Amino acid sequence: MTMKKKIVFATNNAHKLEEVAAILGDSFEVLSLREIGCDADIPETADSFAGNALQKAQYVKEHYGYDCFADDSGLEVDALDGAPGIYSARYSGGGSEANMDKLLHNLTGKSERGAQFRTVIALLIGEETQLFEGIVRGVITEARRGEGGFGYDPIFVPDGYELTFAELGAEVKNRISHRAKAVELLAQYLNERK
Ligand code: IMP
């Protein structure tokens, strides 16, 4: 029996871990931060998604020595010059509901509602560094719709659909999301490289 290669996903988000392990699980043992004994608050102080993802992956590689990948994502709104972007989680300083309120308020009266979710995954494996990006385009609604998902899901309708991410449900979202696209590229790369 061949041993599966160990690789760390620099997250403790069980949902993300499960999603990624489902794609990579045949060839890789995907370990969370908790599983390698890392409970540090890893710094995320760069000024881009790629910078933050790299910073997290580098932290793990340096301190724990594992091959590693990390992700960073957020929502970029056209009429707000790409805001909230890397500040998506802390846009209002008050959590998801307050973040959506602030965003809807800042778009009041604007007819340009285009936006995108973007994920960048940074992979450090052996001596290599690779970046993978996933984008899903869509529009920001006038008001919240739906109960599913998290973050900005209730106010984002992906192109080609009429329902928000919160209404579409996990099965559809996990097929078309920014994160799914980036993870797919990562998986393709790792599976071809192994
Ligand atoms: P993270 O880097 O994946 O933790 O995402 C940072 C922030 O971006 C989250 O706290 C959310 O506010 C927002 N975000 C990222 N992905 C999604 C998504 O799929 N739906 C809704 N909000 C998201």
Side-chain angles (χ1 to χ4, degrees):
M1 193 183 89
T2 51
M3 289 273 286
K4 284 187 191 179
K5 279 192 207 160
K6 288 187 199 298
I7 191 159
V8 173
F9 183 8
T11 188
N12 276 323
N13 179 319
H15 171 80
K16 286 187 186 176
L17 209 66
E18 200 179 302
E19 194 179 308
V20 169
I23 299 178
L24 292 177
D26 287 345
S27 344
F28 290 87
E29 185 181 349
V30 183
L31 304 172
S32 67
L33 291 175
R34 199 168 293 120
E35 285 170 296
I36 60 167
C38 171
D39 60 3
D41 201 7
I42 301 177
E44 264 183 80
T45 54
D47 61 1
S48 64
F49 295 121
N52 281 332
L54 272 170
Q55 199 178 14
K56 286 188 270 187
Q58 273 157 358
Y59 183 95
V60 170
K61 185 105 181 171
E62 271 167 30
H63 290 78
Y64 297 87
Y66 284 102
D67 289 335
C68 178
F69 57 91
D71 72 332
D72 196 42
S73 33
L75 177 65
E76 300 175 308
V77 178
D78 300 349
L80 303 177
D81 293 326
I86 57 166
Y87 303 106
S88 292
R90 45 199 152 121
Y91 190 40
S92 65
S96 289
E97 293 303 321
N99 287 344
M100 285 190 283
D101 285 340
K102 179 171 176 178
L103 189 63
L104 292 174
H105 176 77
N106 288 344
L107 287 178
T108 307
K110 293 200 198 292
S111 54
E112 168 55 66
R113 315 283 298 186
Q116 61 188 28
F117 277 115
R118 190 144 69 102
T119 293
V120 176
I121 294 176
L123 169 70
L124 299 180
I125 189 163
E127 299 302 311
E128 282 176 61
T129 301
Q130 299 285 338
L131 294 173
F132 307 95
E133 182 176 77
I135 287 176
V136 57
R137 292 279 318 165
V139 293
I140 303 297
T141 56
E142 299 281 343
R144 295 165 171 71
R145 292 192 336 237
E147 303 296 326
F150 72 101
Y152 299 88
D153 281 350
I155 59 169
F156 182 85
V157 174
D159 283 354
Y161 294 80
E162 291 188 351
L163 302 177
T164 65
F165 262 170
E167 293 172 314
L168 281 170
E171 198 269 319
V172 176
K173 186 185 167 191
N174 291 341
R175 253 190 301 119
I176 65 171
S177 79
H178 48 313
R179 196 168 299 105
K181 289 178 185 173
V183 168
E184 199 50 57
L185 293 174
L186 168 77
Q188 220 171 26
Y189 182 84
L190 284 174
N191 285 327
E192 277 167 18
R193 186 185 182 281
K194 69 173 193 283

